[in-house]
Amino acid sequence: MLFFNLSAFYFFYFAAVGVYVIFLPKVLQDIGYSTFDIGIVLALAPLMRFLTPFMFLKHIKLNQKMFKTALYLSVLSSACFYLTIENFYLFMINNALLGVCLSLILPYLEVTAISTLGKEKYGKSRLFGSIGFMIISLVLARFLTQPYIAIHYYLVLNVLTVIFAISLLKYDIEHKIEQNSEPFSFLKYWPFWMSLFFMQISFGAFYNFFTIYETQHGMSLEMTSYLWSFGVICEILMLYFQAPLLKNNLLTIIKFCVTITTLRWVLLYLYPDSLGVTFLTQSIHAFSFGLYHSSVIIYLYSLYENKKLAQQFMYGVAYGLGGFVGAIIAGAVYGEFLFIFSALFSLLSLIALYFVKNKNLI
């Protein structure tokens, strides 16, 4: 039952992410937002993901009560999309609230997943999130005829996410163990945190503007959705078969993933209108997200005693601050050289990794 509930949570959570990442930029563009406006709006949720964990260093505990509050507020925020999407400033506030909620939900349950399933089964549960992301990319591309259709999907998926998240609370075993853990420190492993930060900046162009970028280079919206889905299929295959790879040195795996991601961005710059090359770059998502994400999650799980806070900061520093800066930069530099900037940041991520002591902790 644990595996089913956790897999269902991942499925609906990342299906909702699919609506937000793939279709919301296009929706905002269609109702009159500029690319810079889109970058600002989509950067707010990641920024709140970065800021929120700092409140949990001393003064607030990420316990079950706080977790439930975040779940219910995420539904409220999703419902308020109907009222705020036409107003730039109100929509900014709404996205900020959503970002606070998301900064608590996924990190909390990632610890439950790793501690109860282990690295052998973690990927096989997490891949259902990728399946949800892929299915929504295919379905919504056919039915997105007006902006509010995307909001309908997002709200329903968010409610289903909350239902399965609550069902997982009885499996939470870490909240008692971590009460007496050692103080959390960035400085002890600062090069690794810098690498996470730069890696996610490099994804700013992809997550926020890939759909717009490809459609402006001659791809149809439907074909772009197929490209998203193909990348996710490759990611799913990696998540299913990755367990033997994760027995090797995790830091070496992470370095390889960052290296091939740099190649991915260079190819998108060189051949933006080549369908074959774009499919090739999407296949690299198996490494630049699937294997990379699992390796980072498990590596951090071993580095810190306070595992929930470590996961919070991983999402905060990487997907939060990195996502915020990446979205701002991508919105500002959008144009021919968009993915050259991505390649430069992923290269900085790789350089930072060479300052991390190369040892395997698992």
Side-chain angles (χ1 to χ4, degrees):
M1 195 64 180
L2 166 64
F3 185 87
F4 175 82
N5 288 346
L6 192 57
S7 299
F9 163 77
Y10 281 130
F11 180 90
F12 291 116
Y13 180 93
F14 285 101
V17 170
V19 176
Y20 195 93
V21 170
I22 301 175
F23 297 102
L24 187 59
K26 185 65 174 175
V27 166
L28 294 178
Q29 185 184 49
D30 289 345
I31 63 177
Y33 283 62
S34 69
T35 57
F36 187 73
D37 289 341
I38 295 170
I40 293 288
V41 168
L42 298 183
L44 279 174
L47 177 63
M48 298 313 297
R49 283 187 178 185
F50 169 67
L51 295 176
T52 302
F54 287 98
M55 296 187 293
F56 291 82
L57 283 174
K58 293 182 179 179
H59 306 295
I60 307 175
K61 296 295 182 183
L62 181 51
N63 52 30
Q64 291 193 4
K65 181 178 179 181
M66 181 61 65
F67 178 67
K68 289 180 182 177
T69 301
L71 290 173
Y72 299 142
L73 284 177
S74 71
V75 174
L76 176 62
S77 178
S78 301
C80 286
F81 274 20
Y82 292 100
L83 304 176
T84 62
I85 195 169
E86 299 283 348
N87 185 293
F88 174 74
Y89 296 103
L90 291 179
F91 200 56
M92 284 176 59
I93 296 172
N94 202 7
N95 274 266
L97 173 61
L98 182 64
V100 172
C101 299
L102 296 179
S103 71
L104 304 179
I105 295 171
L106 189 58
Y108 191 97
L109 290 180
E110 287 277 46
V111 173
T112 300
I114 297 172
S115 61
T116 55
L117 297 180
K119 61 182 179 181
E120 293 79 13
K121 293 184 179 179
Y122 167 75
K124 292 182 179 179
S125 178
R126 174 62 180 77
L127 66 81
F128 282 92
S130 303
I131 293 173
F133 188 94
M134 178 184 65
I135 290 176
I136 201 67
S137 72
L138 294 172
V139 170
L140 197 50
R142 293 181 173 272
F143 296 101
L144 186 59
T145 56
Q146 54 138 325
Y148 285 94
I149 292 177
I151 301 177
H152 299 335
Y153 274 80
Y154 191 79
L155 178 59
V156 171
L157 291 168
N158 197 295
V159 170
L160 291 169
T161 297
V162 169
I163 291 172
F164 283 99
I166 291 174
S167 74
L168 290 165
L169 285 176
K170 60 184 176 182
Y171 301 105
D172 176 30
I173 60 174
E174 291 292 332
H175 65 285
K176 295 180 181 178
I177 297 173
E178 293 179 359
Q179 289 178 353
N180 299 316
S181 58
E182 66 176 338
F184 186 90
S185 172
F186 278 114
L187 294 179
K188 192 173 182 180
Y189 307 105
W190 68 266
F192 191 72
W193 290 104
M194 290 298 296
S195 177
L196 293 179
F197 173 63
F198 285 127
M199 180 66 159
Q200 290 310 311
I201 290 180
S202 82
F203 271 90
F206 178 71
Y207 284 138
N208 295 285
F209 291 100
F210 179 73
T211 299
I212 296 173
Y213 183 80
E214 289 302 327
T215 53
Q216 288 188 346
H217 281 90
M219 306 286 182
S220 67
L221 182 60
E222 186 173 356
M223 179 56 69
T224 305
S225 73
Y226 294 153
L227 286 164
W228 280 101
S229 299
F230 178 71
V232 176
I233 289 172
C234 296
E235 172 190 319
I236 291 169
L237 291 172
M238 176 59 73
L239 288 168
Y240 188 84
F241 293 107
Q242 70 183 359
L245 294 175
L246 294 174
K247 295 178 182 178
N248 298 305
N249 188 287
L250 293 176
L251 196 55
T252 300
I253 293 173
I254 293 169
K255 287 177 181 177
F256 172 77
C257 292
V258 176
T259 300
I260 198 170
T261 299
T262 304
L263 173 63
R264 177 186 186 181
W265 303 145
V266 171
L267 289 174
L268 275 177
Y269 160 71
L270 292 174
Y271 306 101
D273 53 357
S274 170
L275 186 60
V277 173
T278 307
F279 268 106
L280 174 63
T281 65
Q282 286 299 88
S283 71
I284 296 176
H285 202 63
F287 298 94
S288 58
F289 179 80
L291 185 59
Y292 175 83
H293 177 80
S294 296
S295 300
V296 166
I297 289 286
I298 298 170
Y299 193 71
L300 278 175
Y301 186 86
S302 296
L303 285 180
Y304 290 98
E305 289 185 24
N306 194 329
K307 302 183 188 306
K308 283 196 178 75
L309 194 57
Q311 298 301 330
Q312 270 190 273
F313 273 108
M314 191 281 288
Y315 282 98
V317 171
Y319 298 101
L321 184 61
F324 169 75
V325 175
I328 293 293
I329 292 175
V333 306
Y334 182 84
E336 179 185 357
F337 298 103
L338 177 65
F339 282 101
I340 282 294
F341 284 94
S342 292
L344 290 174
F345 282 113
S346 60
L347 184 60
L348 287 173
S349 175
L350 180 62
I351 293 171
L353 286 174
Y354 282 93
F355 290 90
V356 180
K357 187 175 181 181
N358 192 2
K359 65 176 181 177
N360 206 20
L361 298 173
I362 301 298

